[in-house]
């Protein structure tokens, strides 16, 4: 089974692209959702988060995301510490999940692959590229954020152009090129490679 990483900056269209792969029957692991799930459910991780960020992070036993976001989105060091705590748990969950799938290939969607050194072990990396002005507009609309808030979040990720150069394939998600034909082309290739891989 091939393992494909799907990445791109905030608002580039990763989830939109992942949803097309899902319609084609391909299992997709969403690293962001999984990271939130392990923060809610893993007692060892919860203990580590409380030790670092204080008991108020779990108000009445539930993760207070707003409180935690206010800490980490204003301090890059705190964000790095949180990511370092959560990543090993999310990576382990992704590996177990991949072993349970029956498909010629599977996809893991994550904003941070290269930033966290977790692109290792993937057969291909696919980048979703959108021009910065398009990403800002889409995230402002989607999350009801100001331009400044979106730009602050973008500033914490590595530059889009560099990220795309590190990928094996790039899907362009601007307002001109159609997404579905680009995804179908990759799907055909991954199915073919997945079959060849199964016979090695
Ligand atoms: P994040 O990293 O913030 O989770 P993402 O990379 O997963 O973002 P999406 O959520 O897929 O990006 O897309 C961002 C927003 O832009 C969404 O509201 C989505 O519906 C919209 N969008 C994405 N691609 C297109 C497109 N080709 N045409 C119109 N809207 C789009």
């Amino acid at each position: 089974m091939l393992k494909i990483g799907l990445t791109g900056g905030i608002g580039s269209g990763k989830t939109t692209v992942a949803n097309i792969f899902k319609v084609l029957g391909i299992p997709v692991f969403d690293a962001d959702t999984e990271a939130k799930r392990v923060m809610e459910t893993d007692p060892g991780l919860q203990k580590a988060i409380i030790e670092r960020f204080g008991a108020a992070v779990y108000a009445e036993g539930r993760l207070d995301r707003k409180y935690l976001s206010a800490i980490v989105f204003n301090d890059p060091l705190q964000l790095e510490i949180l990511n370092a705590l959560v990543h090993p748990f999310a990576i382990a969950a992704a590996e177990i999940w991949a072993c349970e799938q029956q498909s010629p290939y599977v996809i893991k969607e994550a904003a941070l692959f290269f930033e966290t050194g977790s692109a290792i072990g993937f057969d291909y990396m696919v980048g979703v590229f959108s021009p910065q002005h398009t990403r800002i507009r889409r995230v402002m609309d989607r999350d009801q954020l100001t331009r400044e808030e979106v730009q602050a979040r973008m500033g914490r990720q590595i530059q889009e152009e560099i990220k795309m150069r590190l990928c094996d394939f790039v899907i362009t998600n601007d307002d001109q090129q159609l997404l579905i034909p680009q995804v179908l082309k990759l799907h055909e290739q991954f199915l073919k490679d997945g079959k060849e891989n199964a016979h090695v």
Side-chain angles (χ1 to χ4, degrees):
M1 180 198 289
L2 290 186
K3 282 192 191 169
I4 312 293
L6 178 66
T7 195
I10 295 173
S12 57
K14 296 178 293 298
T15 303
T16 306
V17 168
N19 286 340
I20 304 173
F21 279 108
K22 278 189 202 166
V23 170
L24 296 168
I26 299 306
V28 176
F29 183 92
D30 175 351
D32 276 2
T33 305
E34 187 57 25
K36 284 172 193 150
R37 194 188 67 75
V38 288
M39 283 196 274
E40 295 273 9
T41 57
D42 191 290
L45 178 57
Q46 288 181 349
K47 187 167 171 276
I49 291 175
I50 288 170
E51 273 168 15
R52 178 72 215 185
F53 299 100
V57 174
Y58 288 93
E60 293 166 19
R62 287 201 58 106
L63 179 67
D64 187 341
R65 283 207 196 122
K66 260 196 160 167
Y67 179 81
L68 190 57
S69 298
I71 301 173
V72 300
F73 282 131
N74 288 312
D75 186 338
L77 178 65
Q78 300 297 340
L79 181 60
E80 212 164 297
I81 290 168
L82 179 65
N83 282 337
L85 290 174
V86 176
H87 261 101
F89 290 86
I91 286 171
E95 276 167 16
I96 293 167
W97 171 87
C99 291
E100 291 167 350
Q101 305 308 311
Q102 302 275 334
S103 176
Y105 73 95
V106 294
I107 292 180
K108 178 177 171 184
E109 173 199 345
L112 308 178
F113 262 110
F114 302 114
E115 289 90 338
T116 55
S118 47
I120 293 160
F122 286 82
D123 295 285
Y124 295 118
M125 291 299 302
V126 176
V128 182
F129 178 80
S130 288
Q132 182 154 321
H133 61 272
T134 309
R135 295 165 55 212
I136 292 173
R137 176 174 43 77
R138 286 178 179 163
V139 177
M140 284 171 69
D141 288 348
R142 187 192 60 186
D143 299 341
Q144 307 298 307
L145 293 172
T146 64
R147 176 173 297 275
E148 290 67 32
E149 285 169 324
V150 177
Q151 281 171 328
R153 288 177 190 200
M154 281 178 174
R156 282 184 286 272
Q157 298 185 339
I158 62 171
Q159 260 188 23
E160 227 26 25
E161 284 73 13
I162 297 173
K163 198 177 268 188
M164 294 303 122
R165 254 186 269 154
L166 294 169
C167 289
D168 302 291
F169 303 98
V170 174
I171 291 176
T172 303
N173 184 25
D174 52 14
D175 288 325
Q176 274 147 44
Q177 299 199 46
L178 293 174
L179 273 185
I180 292 174
Q182 298 181 72
V183 174
L184 282 175
K185 193 170 166 210
L186 286 182
H187 177 62
E188 293 301 326
Q189 166 142 13
F190 296 152
L191 283 180
K192 187 167 156 276
D193 288 3
K195 274 189 201 137
E196 282 168 11
N197 190 281
H199 293 124
V200 175

